């Protein structure tokens, strides 16, 4: 989507980045549990000060806007530690500048990954400690939300995809030096932002690209990872943030959070410094009109003075007596004259960044409510129709006391993933196992810890300005008692990395990437978090990939405890492989697995993947040289919800006292039925069907599964005997 707006050149805050190990575009589950998780080696530069000074000298309009901003910041200085409980929400549109790849491939990242980048951003800005771990600093009270209404008043997901494969400069070098210009002040479409931009007074525009200045995260040298324009550029056609895809999708990268700080007028904590002379900067008095005085004065951080960790006792602060409370929410004070407070700040260059301060919150809130206030009255987040309800969860199969996150994926509903809510939009979730266990939530994206086993129907009802809509997914989450105890192997390699071991396990819907670094215990239990549901009468492909090196033969075996006995019998080994000495490299092995007739149904069974060097592993071995991982396998006769729904299977009444009635679409004839209790034990069944009514009065109270055959089709539904 292209629009012609007044073309004006304003300052750009370049944030050069770091040497980052190559990242996969497949996001991983949140793992930030310490302040050192984001530690990197940095070699950075920034052109903000010089460009800003040039604009102040040569651009009267820019100078006027900026002076107004400085006055607003001065007026807000007295309340810098005060933030409203209300959350300010910024409508965002993300422009995916790809090179002709299919959706979800390469630079043309999926909608889900675009949403993940926004989620990662909000994790930092809203200080989501359940994701980030223990961090100090403040909740900035600002969220960035993908637009749900476009400029024409139509429903949108806030994602704009632009095929740049025909733009030679972009294909060759991305944006910047050696590539396509960021913005040109002329009438031609010959710059990045002229190919796609939405009204910058109503939407904050973000462009994700694969190269800046002909470099990216995989270059192996210093590179620019992103840049943003300050708030004084609001409404101009070059306003917005440009960020590398590889950083956007890196959950540990704080680059996007840093750039959005610039967008809301946060300077670098060292702005105004001179590294050559050792002169310290203080959030740039000239830039803001007042320093942010709850960040220390310092010289910019470089790779040379990072020290060995984030809590370094090497200080380059100019005021060693700086001891102010930096977090008004917790009264936390870090500085003792020996620790560099600025190293943890998002607006520094260090790799330890994980927090904003109260002063920075006041500045950013002022920038949004004064200079960028049109975002707050934009219709971009207003639904134009009732919600089309949909949702997902982090697990469809889990265990008692396991926390399951449910994520709203509906249209005509904005989503910031932080549960702060929206005006005139409500959410009602119901989780019901049909056996007296019901959970509810009014959050948009609730986390539910299930305390009772069962197969839960999940219902989400959404009410917006246009009305109410509801969707129920039957048997959406199956919660089991904790898996049976099995032997625990131990490793003798003491957390060593031999460069060998299993790197990938795939089985039906289960797909887990590991590395060859063996955990300290040599063993990880994934049964409740990484598992799959398989049909009792179906065969599935099992794939295992592992790495071997010279001088070490590699042996890998896979076992499934089909009878749930807690032991692994010889007939339960489903894969046995070995790579001989000197056959180094990655090796893939596949086999077909079919559940045996005696497999325990409707419970989490243990699948053990175990590897060992030089000899075949013993499934319960102690002191082996390798790693072992347990996964969950749930054997069921249940078809997927979509298959059952398509046949319109109905069982009633449910709950039932004495007699069940079964109906099928088009009066299909039932040829057989079987009834299983919750342990998977067959309790009733017949192949002589003369009626669609079945007597169940002799069954004990509880939940049951009924398997029905109609010709070549099989269907399963649950019912409650009262």
């Amino acid at each position: 989507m292209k629009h012609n707006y007044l073309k004006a050149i304003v300052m750009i805050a370049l944030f050069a980045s770091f040497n980052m190990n190559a990242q996969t575009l497949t996001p991983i589950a949140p793992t930030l549990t310490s302040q050192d998780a984001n530690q990197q080696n940095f070699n950075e530069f920034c052109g903000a000060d010089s460009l800003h000074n040039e604009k102040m000298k040569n651009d009267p309009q820019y100078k006027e806007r900026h002076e107004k901003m400085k006055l607003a910041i001065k007026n807000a200085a007295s309340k810098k530690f005060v933030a409203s409980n209300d959350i300010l929400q910024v409508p965002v549109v993300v422009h995916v500048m790809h090179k002709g790849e299919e959706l979800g491939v390469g630079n043309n990242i999926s909608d889900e990954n675009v949403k993940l980048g926004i989620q990662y951003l909000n994790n930092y800005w809203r200080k989501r400690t359940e994701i980030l771990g223990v961090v100090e600093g403040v909740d900035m009270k600002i969220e960035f939300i993908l637009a749900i209404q476009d400029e024409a008043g139509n429903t949108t997901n806030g994602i704009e995809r632009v095929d740049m494969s025909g733009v030679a400069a972009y294909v060759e070098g991305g944006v910047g030096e050696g590539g396509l210009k960021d913005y040109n002040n002329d009438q031609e479409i010959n710059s990045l932002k002229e190919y796609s931009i939405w009204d910058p007074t109503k939407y904050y525009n973000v462009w994700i690209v694969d190269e800046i200045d002909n470099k990216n995260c995989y270059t192996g040298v210093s590179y620019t990872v992103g840049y943003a324009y300050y708030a004084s550029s609001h409404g101009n056609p070059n306003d917005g943030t440009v960020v590398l895809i590889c950083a956007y999708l890196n959950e540990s990268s704080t680059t996007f959070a840093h750039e959005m700080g610039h967008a809301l007028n946060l300077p670098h904590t060292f702005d105004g410094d001179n590294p050559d002379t050792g002169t310290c900067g203080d959030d740039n008095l000239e830039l803001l009109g007042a320093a942010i005085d709850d960040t220390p004065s310092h010289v910019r951080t470089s790779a040379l003075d990072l020290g060995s960790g984030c809590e370094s006792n090497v200080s380059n602060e100019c005021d060693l007596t700086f001891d102010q409370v930096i977090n008004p929410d917790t009264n936390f004070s870090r500085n003792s004259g020996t620790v560099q407070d600025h190293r943890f700040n998002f607006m520094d260059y260090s790799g330890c960044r994980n927090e904003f301060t109260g002063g920075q919150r006041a500045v950013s809130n002022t920038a949004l409510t004064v200079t960028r206030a049109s975002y707050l009255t934009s219709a971009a987040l207003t639904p134009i129709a009732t919600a089309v309800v949909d949702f997902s969860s982090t697990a469809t199969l889990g265990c008692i006391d396991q926390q399951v996150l449910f994520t709203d994926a509906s249209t005509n509903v904005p989503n910031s993933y932080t549960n702060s809510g929206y005006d005139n939009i409500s959410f009602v979730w119901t989780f019901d196992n049909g056996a007296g266990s019901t959970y509810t939530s009014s959050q948009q994206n609730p986390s539910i810890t299930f305390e009772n086993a069962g197969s839960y129907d999940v219902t989400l009802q959404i009410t917006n300005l246009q009305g109410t809509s509801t969707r129920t997914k039957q048997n959406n989450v199956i919660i089991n008692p904790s898996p049976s105890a099995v032997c625990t192997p131990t490793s003798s390699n003491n957390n060593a990395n031999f460069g060998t071991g299993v790197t990938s396990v795939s089985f039906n819907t289960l797909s887990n990437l590991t590395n060859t670094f063996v955990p300290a215990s040599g063993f990880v239990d994934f049964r409740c978090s990484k598992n799959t549901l398989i049909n009792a009468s179906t065969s599935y492909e099992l794939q295992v990939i592992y790495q071997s090196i010279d001088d070490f033969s590699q042996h890998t075996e896979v076992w499934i405890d089909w009878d749930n006995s807690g032991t692994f019998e010889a007939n339960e080994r489903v894969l046995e492989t070995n790579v001989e000495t000197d056959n180094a490299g990655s090796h893939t092995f596949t086999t077909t697995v079919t559940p045996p007739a005696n497999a325990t149904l409707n419970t989490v069974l243990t699948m053990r993947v175990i590897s060992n060097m030089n000899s075949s592993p013993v499934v319960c071995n102690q002191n082996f040289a390798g790693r072992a991982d347990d996964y969950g396998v749930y054997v069921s006769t249940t078809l997927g919800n979509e298959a059952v729904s398509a046949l319109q299977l109905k069982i009633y009444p449910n709950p039932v006292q004495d007699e069940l009635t079964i109906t099928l679409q088009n009066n299909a004839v039932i040829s057989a039925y079987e009834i299983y209790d919750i342990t998977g034990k067959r309790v009733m069944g017949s192949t002589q069907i003369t009626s669609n009514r079945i007597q169940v009065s002799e069954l004990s109270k509880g939940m049951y599964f009924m398997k029905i055959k109609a010709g070549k089709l099989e269907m399963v539904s649950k019912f409650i005997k009262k």
Side-chain angles (χ1 to χ4, degrees):
M1 187 176 301
K2 176 188 177 290
H3 306 275
N4 292 316
Y5 296 106
L6 174 66
K7 294 181 170 58
I9 300 176
V10 290
M11 72 137 305
I12 186 173
L14 294 174
F15 175 48
S17 184
F18 39 87
N19 286 332
M20 186 166 52
N21 293 329
Q23 303 289 332
T24 176
L25 295 186
T26 302
I28 59 175
T31 57
L32 286 180
T33 58
S34 71
Q35 294 175 335
D36 292 308
N38 195 34
Q39 180 73 16
Q40 302 281 355
N41 291 321
F42 284 72
N43 184 14
E44 304 172 321
F45 65 92
C46 182
D49 292 342
S50 60
L51 291 173
H52 170 73
N53 292 335
E54 180 182 353
K55 295 304 296 177
M56 291 290 288
K57 180 179 179 180
N58 300 319
D59 189 335
Q61 292 182 338
Y62 180 89
K63 183 177 181 179
E64 181 181 359
R65 290 192 299 269
H66 189 75
E67 292 298 334
K68 290 181 179 179
M69 173 64 66
K70 288 168 61 175
L71 180 61
I73 292 172
K74 287 181 179 179
N75 293 335
S78 62
K79 55 180 182 179
K80 67 177 60 180
F81 291 142
V82 179
S84 171
N85 290 326
D86 294 331
I87 307 301
L88 301 175
Q89 297 175 327
V90 179
V92 174
V93 59
V94 175
H95 307 269
V96 181
M97 314 302 285
H98 64 89
K99 297 179 179 178
E101 301 95 335
E102 295 182 3
L103 179 62
V105 177
N107 300 301
N108 196 10
I109 62 175
S110 67
D111 289 355
E112 290 74 19
N113 277 356
V114 173
K115 295 174 182 178
L116 275 173
I118 300 297
Q119 183 176 342
Y120 298 158
L121 171 67
N122 285 323
N123 288 345
Y124 290 118
W125 272 73
R126 292 298 317 281
K127 189 189 171 184
R128 296 187 68 191
T129 56
E130 74 275 18
I131 303 296
L132 304 176
V134 180
V135 297
E136 296 297 334
V138 303
D139 178 353
M140 294 292 273
K141 306 289 187 177
I142 294 174
E143 291 179 353
F144 305 93
I145 303 174
L146 288 169
I148 62 171
Q149 183 180 156
D150 68 14
E151 297 167 294
N154 301 313
T155 296
T156 180
N157 61 2
I159 302 171
E160 184 80 356
R161 300 182 181 278
V162 186
D163 185 353
M164 301 292 286
S165 60
V167 184
Y170 183 81
V171 172
E172 293 171 4
V175 61
E177 296 182 12
L180 187 68
K181 291 184 178 181
D182 174 86
Y183 179 75
N184 285 309
N185 188 22
D186 55 38
Q187 301 299 315
E188 301 296 327
I189 304 177
N190 57 6
S191 65
L192 179 78
K193 295 174 181 177
E194 292 168 324
Y195 280 92
S196 182
I197 185 172
W198 292 19
D199 186 346
T201 66
K202 300 177 181 178
Y203 307 85
Y204 187 80
N205 290 273
V206 176
W207 292 264
I208 51 178
V209 301
D210 74 324
E211 291 182 299
I212 298 176
D213 297 334
N214 204 22
K215 297 178 181 178
N216 58 26
C217 308
Y218 314 111
T219 304
V221 296
S222 60
Y223 56 94
T224 301
V225 72
Y227 56 86
Y229 288 82
Y230 281 103
S232 301
S233 302
H234 182 71
N236 291 309
N238 57 338
D239 189 25
T241 290
V242 177
V243 63
L244 289 176
I245 294 174
C246 47
Y248 183 90
L249 283 180
N250 178 9
E251 188 178 16
S252 298
S253 173
T254 61
T255 294
F256 197 12
H258 176 108
E259 299 307 333
M260 293 307 303
H262 286 319
L264 293 175
N265 262 25
L266 296 184
H268 296 119
T269 53
F270 54 79
D271 271 3
D273 76 329
N274 188 329
D276 295 331
T277 63
T279 302
C280 284
D282 199 4
D283 298 293
N284 203 323
L285 293 170
E286 168 58 28
L287 180 64
L288 296 177
I292 300 175
D293 61 15
D294 59 348
T295 61
S297 176
H298 73 97
V299 179
R300 70 189 66 193
T301 306
S302 72
L304 299 177
D305 61 9
L306 276 176
S308 59
C310 292
E311 291 286 359
S312 173
N313 60 3
V314 178
S315 176
N316 67 358
E317 293 171 5
C318 297
D319 183 4
L320 298 182
T321 65
F322 180 85
D323 60 356
Q324 288 183 272
V325 174
I326 68 166
N327 186 345
D329 296 335
T330 63
N331 291 323
F332 173 78
S333 178
R334 178 186 294 114
N335 191 282
S336 63
T338 60
V339 178
Q340 303 175 62
D341 299 70
H342 61 85
R343 296 178 65 173
F344 297 87
N345 197 283
F346 284 120
M347 304 314 296
D348 190 21
Y349 271 180
S350 85
C352 311
R353 299 178 304 222
N354 62 14
E355 64 190 43
F356 291 108
T357 70
Q360 290 174 319
R361 179 172 60 193
V363 170
S364 62
N365 276 251
T366 301
L368 181 54
T369 56
V370 176
T371 304
R372 295 192 183 276
S374 62
Y375 292 152
L376 305 179
T377 57
S378 170
L381 300 180
T382 302
I384 64 172
T386 58
V388 179
V389 182
D390 195 11
F391 53 87
S392 63
S393 62
T394 54
T396 57
L397 178 65
C399 304
I400 288 177
D401 295 330
Q402 178 185 350
Q403 187 179 72
V404 181
L405 173 64
F406 293 84
T407 300
D408 171 43
S410 309
T411 57
N412 295 316
V413 179
N415 204 328
S416 70
Y417 312 98
T418 60
N419 290 317
S420 59
Y422 312 90
D423 292 339
N424 303 310
I425 301 178
S426 64
F427 305 86
V428 178
W429 293 82
T430 304
F431 310 86
D432 188 0
N433 70 352
S437 182
T438 302
Y439 302 83
T440 61
S441 176
S442 60
Q443 294 186 327
Q444 184 176 10
N445 304 292
S447 291
I448 305 297
T449 301
F450 294 94
E451 299 175 348
N452 298 296
S455 181
Y456 286 81
D457 296 342
V458 180
T459 299
L460 173 57
Q461 176 182 286
I462 300 177
T463 301
N464 64 22
L465 290 170
Q466 307 301 330
T468 300
S469 49
T470 303
R471 181 175 182 181
T472 297
K473 295 185 180 181
Q474 296 181 338
N475 305 325
N476 184 247
V477 180
I478 300 174
I479 301 298
N480 294 267
S482 297
S484 299
V486 293
C487 59
T488 301
T490 59
S491 175
S492 63
N493 55 17
N494 195 27
N495 204 30
N497 174 24
F498 292 98
T500 67
V502 175
T503 58
S504 174
V505 176
S506 299
F507 183 53
N508 191 31
T509 59
L510 189 157
S511 182
N512 187 43
L513 298 176
T514 61
N515 56 48
T516 58
F517 287 89
V518 178
S521 66
F523 170 74
V524 180
D525 188 351
F526 291 120
R527 288 180 294 175
C528 289
S529 60
K530 299 183 184 297
N531 44 50
T532 188
L533 187 151
I534 64 176
N535 191 278
S537 58
T538 305
S539 298
Y540 299 87
E541 181 181 272
L542 168 66
Q543 180 188 85
V544 176
I545 303 175
Y546 60 79
Q547 185 75 22
S548 62
I549 62 175
D550 291 340
D551 301 325
F552 292 100
S553 59
Q554 182 71 32
H555 303 259
T556 299
E557 297 181 357
V558 181
W559 305 69
I560 300 179
D561 184 18
W562 294 116
D563 60 2
N564 201 32
S565 64
T567 61
F568 299 95
E569 287 83 27
N571 61 354
E572 294 179 324
R573 185 171 60 191
V574 297
L575 179 67
E576 181 181 14
T577 71
N578 65 84
V579 174
E580 298 299 329
T581 303
D582 299 329
N583 192 5
S586 181
H587 306 273
T588 300
F589 288 88
T590 61
T591 190
T592 299
V593 177
T594 304
N598 66 340
T600 302
L601 301 177
N602 306 321
T603 192
V604 175
L605 307 178
T606 301
M607 181 174 78
R608 175 159 294 175
V609 181
I610 183 169
S611 62
N612 191 42
M613 289 189 297
N614 290 332
S615 63
S616 297
V618 179
V619 69
C620 293
N621 202 4
Q622 306 297 305
N623 298 320
F624 68 101
R627 67 176 291 152
D629 299 310
D630 282 355
Y631 299 93
V633 176
Y634 187 96
V635 185
S636 174
T637 56
T638 304
L639 292 178
N641 294 329
E642 300 299 328
V644 175
S645 178
L647 291 169
Q648 295 183 6
L649 168 66
K650 295 182 179 180
I651 299 179
Y652 60 91
N654 191 7
V656 61
Q657 183 71 40
D658 298 311
E659 186 179 80
L660 276 175
T661 299
I662 307 170
T663 63
L664 294 175
Q665 183 184 35
N666 299 325
N667 296 315
V669 178
I670 302 171
S671 59
Y673 78 90
E674 294 177 314
I675 297 176
Y676 298 84
D677 65 17
I678 195 166
T679 69
K681 180 182 178 181
R682 184 180 183 276
V683 294
M684 287 183 62
S686 178
T687 58
Q688 305 295 321
I689 309 299
T690 59
S691 169
N692 65 341
R693 294 181 175 87
I694 300 174
Q695 294 293 325
V696 294
S697 57
E698 298 300 317
L699 293 177
S700 301
K701 295 180 179 180
M703 185 172 67
Y704 295 86
F705 295 89
M706 173 174 280
K707 178 180 179 181
I708 298 170
K709 293 184 178 181
K712 297 181 179 180
L713 299 174
E714 293 185 359
M715 299 146 283
V716 174
S717 185
K718 67 179 181 181
F719 68 92
I720 305 297
K721 173 64 170 63
K722 61 182 182 180

